[in-house]
Amino acid sequence: MTQLSSLEIPDVLYTQIQGMALSQSRSINEQIVKLLQRALEIEAQRQSQTKILQEIHQARWTPPTIAPDSVTLLREIRGYDE
């Protein structure tokens, strides 16, 4: 396992992590690893959602530019223009 030893953490953030670790019966190191894992999972989900949304956007159907508008079609179907 790789060690990350020269990481500088602001005191406020360290205190928050320490509190979380205590409340979940973990060491500070375990808590930091858990937080990093969760952050990576969230980022992977975000990227997956972004990809899916891009695919949906690209697959969206658009009518041809020469297609009549819906009002014209309805008037024609209902026989209003005769």
Side-chain angles (χ1 to χ4, degrees), residues 9-29 31-32 35:
I9 300 173
D11 292 338
V12 174
L13 184 57
Y14 183 84
T15 303
Q16 289 176 321
I17 294 170
Q18 188 177 35
M20 292 173 72
L22 286 172
S23 70
Q24 296 178 16
S25 301
R26 293 188 182 125
S27 69
I28 293 173
N29 189 58
Q31 187 64 34
I32 290 172
L35 289 169

Side-chain angles (χ1 to χ4, degrees), residues 12-67:
V12 174
L13 184 57
Y14 183 84
T15 303
Q16 289 176 321
I17 294 170
Q18 188 177 35
M20 292 173 72
L22 286 172
S23 70
Q24 296 178 16
S25 301
R26 293 188 182 125
S27 69
I28 293 173
N29 189 58
E30 290 171 330
Q31 187 64 34
I32 290 172
V33 170
K34 194 70 169 172
L35 289 169
L36 287 171
Q37 287 174 335
R38 182 66 183 135
L40 290 173
E41 290 170 3
I42 291 170
E43 181 60 22
Q45 287 176 347
R46 189 193 64 75
Q47 289 178 359
S48 175
Q49 289 171 349
T50 300
K51 182 180 175 194
I52 290 169
L53 288 173
Q54 287 173 344
E55 290 171 0
I56 289 170
H57 181 70
Q58 290 173 352
R60 199 174 277 165
W61 180 82
T62 54
T65 56
I66 59 171

Side-chain angles (χ1 to χ4, degrees), residues 17 19 69 71:
I17 294 170
D69 67 296
V71 173

